[in-house]
Amino acid sequence: MITVSPTDFQIHLFHEGTFYKSYQLFGAHIVEEGGTVGTRFCVWAPHAVEVRVVGSFNNWNGEHHRLVKVNEQGVWIIFIPENLEGHLYKYEIVTRNGEVLLKADPYAFYSELRPNTASIIYKLDGYKWNDQEWQRKKKRKQIYNQPMFIYEVHLGTWKKKEDGSFYTYKQIVDELIPYVVEHGFTHIELLPLVEHPLDRSWGYQGTGYYAATSRYGTPHDLMELIDQCHQAGIGVILDWVPGHFCKDEHGLYMFDGEPTYEYINMQDRENFVWGTANFDLGKPEVHSFLISNALFWMDYYHIDGFRVDAVANMLYWPNSEVLHSNPYAISFLKKLNETVFSYDPTILMIAEDSTDWPQVTAPTYEGGLGFNYKWNMGWMNDLLSYMETEMNERKHVHHKVTFSLLYAHSENFILPLSHDEVVHGKKSLLNKMPGDYWQKFAQLRLLYGYLIAHPGKKLLFMGGEFGQFDEWKDLEQLDWVLFDFELHRKMDEYVKELVHFYKKQKALYELDHTPEGFEWIDVNNAEQSIFSFIRRGKKENDFLIVVCNFTNEVYHNYKIGVPLNASYKEVFNSDDVSYGGSGQMNRKTLTAVEKPFHGKPYHVCMTIPPYAVSILRPMRKRGERERNDSKKVRRHATRRGKRE
């Protein structure tokens, strides 16, 4: 049990910016003092004249519950000899100008259901985890040469109950997890789950960084959701916002009447575009608060990674016409990454960075920021711009597809088709595609096919898998009614098969982050808008030929250069009728012709389907094929026997 009095060393570390378990001191904790169980409150309010704790245990009157200031840097503490678990509370702070503020606890583990804003005294321990096998397997995996396909989810609008209310953390288990497993996604990324005031938001403007939002249930309920994900083989990534925070009056903003967690200078403090305040990343106590928060989610919630939001807004000073780098932010990000990786080397630290800042995913000892992944925003913007271009005009913007390969291996990239691209009038992914109804679906299948074939890990926002026609809606669930329509059902089946195909083909992920994993066959066919390339795995001759046609033309006997004198089999074609395509397939074996083409010593002649991706694989030796085929027959027979 945590003791009442903080040690001098803890206080020293906090003000030094290196108290990485500060949540064990600050906030409300049930503790023991001389055999008496009570509740300790501890808060940092450096400018306060007086601090009182008020709550449901004292009729919101703090007259007899004044905190004691333990040092000049503003750490305040009180021990109340009662077990106050479950009670509501706030800090009543008297400012230097005599104003009295009521503030939620920055370190609270739980909060009242909105629109109420009080903190709740909650004991986080006691949940029994059953994800030991997941943790063991995770330690053995090398993430860089493993498949990663992330499903990005906003819990409040993925699916709702018939009466329009939210599923709780516990209730969503039986809905979300089987769905994610069936589709083959390796991870889910949950949009911010920290306490935040507005249901109609994504959760990026937080007020309680240590409090899992109560709109979906209790902290233990969230632990169960994550635990069940792990038991099903699904990693969980949390969207996390260490750059800026909500300005609601009960939150961190002007916590003790003056800038505390935020910059003193208004030009640096105010985020005018988002209506938020920027964390003062030069302040050691803010380092202790934020880095502790990352470790807190790893420690108590077994989070597997963080998608760090708005890194660009941290790297550069805001509200300036000229880009000026922020040395405090750079130092903080390096320190953050060094700390979390020393705590758990398997953690995913993913930078959402829209700039060309160098070495974002390089180790800090090599001069990098220390993340291990970065969203490839340039790829996303260029490719979606290309897809929105009318077919006959695509030849004029050919470079929007090819440019990303010039820098594809400069960082460890994730290719995001994210929530940011389906709001604010941008249209859904399906509706971005030009052309008629059939052409929209064909081009979306092509887009997803190119996504899995391009170097980098993958991410798809919810609803994209079945062709959501509308943009994200803040008050409604996804349009599950679309499953009543054939092409949406087929799109969903296509994504399932595509993701499972991706996970089976080592050539599509083993060498994601090295140039040896990718080779152009024909990069210059702008006139026909056809791109062909090779993806390679680690083993010799483990490669795939990928051909993408971004027009509605069909070509027969089309020559494609290949590196190996072998027979080739089409192993994937997005134009398959079962996916809603036109059925322009390469059903027969394609035999290499010993005549150079596309700079390769051999070529094959194939059918190029319209608005589609076709993937070829060299066939193995005959004996090997027969053995493999017999194994498949036995396996399928076994399955039939089990079903029967």
Side-chain angles (χ1 to χ4, degrees):
M1 187 170 285
I2 298 172
T3 58
V4 170
S5 301
T7 67
D8 291 340
F9 187 55
Q10 286 177 318
I11 298 294
H12 167 76
L13 291 178
F14 177 70
H15 294 304
E16 185 184 64
T18 58
F19 189 16
Y20 302 139
K21 295 292 184 78
S22 60
Y23 50 87
Q24 294 179 350
L25 171 61
F26 292 91
H29 294 272
I30 309 300
V31 298
E32 184 176 347
E33 174 75 2
T36 301
V37 176
T39 307
R40 186 193 67 198
F41 297 87
C42 186
V43 67
W44 177 55
H47 311 106
V49 172
E50 187 177 353
V51 180
R52 300 182 285 264
V53 62
V54 299
S56 56
F57 54 88
N58 62 10
N59 293 317
W60 301 93
N61 185 339
E63 184 67 25
H64 300 295
H65 292 127
R66 289 179 167 86
L67 279 70
V68 175
K69 189 176 182 181
V70 300
N71 67 355
E72 291 304 312
Q73 289 80 24
V75 175
W76 302 74
I77 196 164
I78 188 175
F79 174 71
I80 300 175
E82 297 178 60
N83 185 335
L84 299 177
E85 184 178 1
H87 277 280
L88 308 179
Y89 72 104
K90 280 188 177 182
Y91 293 117
E92 192 173 60
I93 298 174
V94 181
T95 71
R96 288 199 281 210
N97 65 9
E99 187 180 4
V100 179
L101 307 176
L102 273 179
K103 290 286 188 175
D105 188 346
Y107 283 88
F109 296 152
Y110 193 33
S111 298
E112 269 191 299
L113 184 63
R114 83 293 175 243
N116 298 319
T117 57
S119 302
I120 300 175
I121 301 165
Y122 190 93
K123 290 181 66 175
L124 286 175
D125 54 353
Y127 179 80
K128 183 176 172 59
W129 287 87
N130 294 291
D131 65 346
Q132 294 80 10
E133 182 63 22
W134 166 263
Q135 300 296 345
R136 283 194 293 270
K137 288 181 178 179
K138 189 171 70 166
K139 289 177 181 177
R140 294 197 299 265
K141 285 184 178 180
Q142 297 292 323
I143 59 169
Y144 302 109
N145 58 20
Q146 295 292 317
M148 184 190 300
F149 206 128
I150 303 165
Y151 187 55
E152 190 183 35
V153 177
H154 178 254
L155 284 181
T157 53
W158 183 73
K159 185 177 284 188
K160 292 190 175 184
K161 299 178 185 177
E162 289 187 8
D163 63 1
S165 63
F166 294 135
Y167 279 95
T168 66
Y169 296 121
K170 290 171 72 75
Q171 292 166 341
I172 203 77
V173 164
D174 293 331
E175 298 288 331
L176 179 61
I177 293 177
Y179 186 86
V180 172
V181 169
E182 183 181 10
H183 284 75
F185 297 113
T186 62
H187 295 73
I188 57 172
E189 180 182 304
L190 298 172
L191 271 63
L193 292 180
V194 301
E195 194 56 81
H196 57 279
L198 185 62
D199 284 354
R200 299 182 68 176
S201 74
W202 285 322
Y204 286 97
Q205 297 190 12
T207 53
Y209 273 64
Y210 288 82
T213 178
S214 58
R215 53 177 45 81
Y216 310 126
T218 71
H220 282 171
D221 294 342
L222 176 56
M223 291 176 194
E224 182 176 340
L225 170 59
I226 296 170
D227 194 6
Q228 292 290 339
C229 284
H230 287 171
Q231 291 179 54
I234 303 165
V236 181
I237 299 166
L238 180 65
D239 226 326
W240 189 58
V241 192
H244 62 110
F245 57 88
C246 182
K247 291 169 61 176
D248 281 33
E249 62 181 2
H250 68 282
L252 297 176
Y253 189 67
M254 298 292 181
F255 185 74
D256 54 12
E258 300 177 40
T260 304
Y261 289 88
E262 60 272 71
Y263 290 107
I264 294 174
N265 184 298
M266 187 183 73
Q267 188 75 0
D268 303 329
R269 177 177 69 240
E270 298 298 322
N271 205 309
F272 295 113
V273 175
W274 296 328
T276 56
N278 295 311
F279 277 109
D280 182 348
L281 297 177
K283 196 172 289 184
E285 293 86 356
V286 172
H287 284 208
S288 289
F289 176 80
L290 288 173
I291 297 176
S292 289
N293 188 243
L295 295 187
F296 167 82
W297 285 98
M298 295 161 63
D299 189 9
Y300 279 104
Y301 289 93
H302 293 199
I303 288 293
D304 301 293
F306 299 91
R307 181 264 195 184
V308 181
D309 180 63
V311 169
N313 186 68
M314 301 165 72
L315 289 174
Y316 295 100
W317 289 107
N319 310 317
S320 175
E321 294 181 1
V322 180
L323 288 179
H324 293 294
S325 60
N326 182 342
Y328 302 122
I330 296 164
S331 176
F332 165 76
L333 290 172
K334 290 181 178 182
K335 186 177 175 182
L336 165 71
N337 288 320
E338 288 171 354
T339 305
V340 296
F341 282 117
S342 69
Y343 187 77
D344 181 0
T346 71
I347 199 74
L348 295 169
M349 292 299 290
I350 304 165
E352 189 259 330
D353 175 27
S354 56
T355 75
D356 58 0
W357 191 277
Q359 294 188 289
V360 171
T361 58
T364 57
Y365 57 78
E366 292 182 359
L369 291 180
F371 291 93
N372 55 2
Y373 277 100
K374 173 182 174 176
W375 273 20
N376 194 336
M377 312 287 278
W379 171 88
M380 176 184 68
N381 290 327
D382 284 348
L383 186 61
L384 292 181
S385 173
Y386 179 85
M387 296 303 299
E388 289 184 271
T389 302
E390 292 292 337
M391 182 193 75
N392 293 330
E393 297 299 316
R394 285 177 176 166
K395 60 187 175 183
H396 301 302
V397 290
H398 192 75
H399 64 281
K400 288 184 179 290
V401 176
T402 62
F403 181 65
S404 63
L405 274 305
L406 296 178
Y407 62 88
H409 304 105
S410 62
E411 303 277 5
N412 299 329
F413 281 121
I414 290 175
L415 310 177
L417 294 173
S418 74
H419 64 278
D420 281 323
E421 303 314 305
V422 295
V423 290
H424 307 317
K426 294 181 182 178
K427 298 186 289 190
S428 70
L429 292 179
L430 180 63
N431 220 9
K432 290 179 193 289
M433 305 298 115
D436 60 28
Y437 186 72
W438 183 90
Q439 290 173 337
K440 285 180 179 294
F441 281 92
Q443 290 176 89
L444 188 60
R445 293 194 301 271
L446 169 58
L447 172 63
Y448 293 161
Y450 184 64
L451 167 69
I452 65 116
H454 190 288
K457 308 310 180 187
K458 328 296 176 188
L459 178 143
L460 181 65
F461 183 56
M462 63 183 198
E465 69 275 13
F466 59 83
Q468 176 93 2
F469 239 122
D470 290 342
E471 287 188 346
W472 177 76
K473 291 169 282 193
D474 54 12
L475 290 176
E476 300 177 31
Q477 65 177 354
L478 294 179
D479 291 331
W480 299 106
V481 68
L482 292 176
F483 276 86
D484 291 341
F485 299 90
E486 182 182 19
L487 279 184
H488 291 279
R489 291 196 305 273
K490 288 185 173 182
M491 176 61 73
D492 188 65
E493 287 300 316
Y494 170 74
V495 170
K496 288 179 191 174
E497 294 200 24
L498 184 70
V499 175
H500 286 289
F501 173 79
Y502 157 71
K503 289 164 62 178
K504 290 177 182 177
Q505 304 298 326
K506 292 183 178 181
L508 293 178
Y509 57 78
E510 275 192 331
L511 298 177
D512 264 332
H513 309 307
T514 60
E516 293 77 17
F518 180 91
E519 180 184 350
W520 282 112
I521 296 175
D522 186 6
V523 67
N524 297 314
N525 191 352
E527 191 62 35
Q528 293 177 305
S529 297
I530 294 177
F531 301 83
S532 53
F533 53 89
I534 300 171
R535 286 301 312 275
R536 297 186 186 276
K538 288 183 176 180
K539 291 184 178 179
E540 186 179 2
N541 294 333
D542 180 13
F543 67 89
L544 298 172
I545 305 293
V546 181
V547 184
C548 299
N549 178 12
F550 287 89
T551 73
N552 62 3
E553 297 292 332
V554 180
Y555 300 93
H556 299 287
N557 297 314
Y558 190 98
K559 290 183 180 180
I560 294 288
V562 294
L564 190 66
N565 188 7
S567 296
Y568 290 81
K569 179 182 179 181
E570 185 175 75
V571 289
F572 199 89
N573 188 327
S574 66
D575 195 46
D576 194 312
V577 172
S578 65
Y579 305 143
S582 64
Q584 296 296 323
M585 311 283 287
N586 292 277
R587 301 187 188 280
K588 294 183 178 180
T589 300
L590 305 175
T591 303
V593 178
E594 196 168 347
K595 188 174 181 180
F597 200 73
H598 286 148
K600 302 294 182 285
Y602 314 99
H603 72 267
V604 295
C605 294
M606 63 180 293
T607 294
I608 304 292
Y611 284 141
V613 57
S614 176
I615 301 178
L616 311 179
R617 184 176 62 202
M619 296 178 70
R620 302 180 183 91
K621 294 179 182 178
R622 181 176 178 83
E624 204 175 331
R625 283 204 313 274
E626 289 175 349
R627 286 194 298 273
N628 289 341
D629 289 344
S630 65
K631 288 178 183 177
K632 288 180 182 177
V633 169
R634 287 196 299 273
R635 194 160 59 241
H636 291 167
T638 301
R639 287 175 184 162
R640 284 197 297 273
K642 286 182 178 178
R643 284 198 296 268
E644 293 167 359

